[in-house]
Amino acid sequence: MKELISEQQVQARVAEMAHDINAQYAGKPLTIIGIMTGSIILLSDLIRQLTMPLRVGVVQASSYRGETERGELVINASLMPDIRQRDVLLVDDIYDTGHTLNEVIARMLELSPTSVRSAVLLRKQGRQEVALQPDHVCFDIPDEFVVGYGLDYQDEYRNLPFVATLEPHDIHGN
Ligand code: IMP
Ligand code: MG
């Protein structure tokens, strides 16, 4: 595997993003919802730098798929706090085709929040299949398979403090 974004670079950009989000909500209460499981590291680093009154919840979105093929997206919102008339910020690890964020936002909107915005660590260039764009993005990356800082390959590598690209032998050699 090859390091793409160092731990220091990630930490610096997450701090900038936290600063922008603090400015955007200007002290107004916020409900932040992490999309499981990829968002956990960004979620935990980000929330400790947010200064408004904050509620934290999670939602699970899993698309049952292999390496590249899309499957049906299943959303489990049973662990979410009540978001009615709340400002909501969704957090995910990566914006790839955009289907996950698009569908989770549509589901959130059914619950009558005041607003729904989104923040992601990574956005893959040239992959988007939906019109929606995340409101906050730390890094745009090339179209390569990445792991670390929450992102997994077959549920491994999420704990790496940096972002790395997996090389073909990492993917096919197990
Ligand atoms: P989307 O619905 O295509 O935007 O996919 C978003 C989800 O796909 C993310 O939450 C990740 O779980 C997964 N994903 C997309 N690209 C990568 C990658 O390069 N590495 C690890 N997971 C990825
Ligand atoms: Mg994910």
Side-chain angles (χ1 to χ4, degrees), residues 147-164:
V147 295
Y149 201 77
L151 292 123
D152 73 301
Y153 171 62
Q154 296 186 344
D155 281 315
E156 278 187 65
Y157 307 111
R158 294 193 198 275
N159 55 310
L160 298 176
F162 51 86
V163 176

Side-chain angles (χ1 to χ4, degrees), residues 35-39 61 92-94 100 150 152 158:
I35 301 179
M36 291 292 102
T37 304
S39 72
D92 205 359
D93 50 0
I94 186 166
T100 302
D152 73 301
R158 294 193 198 275

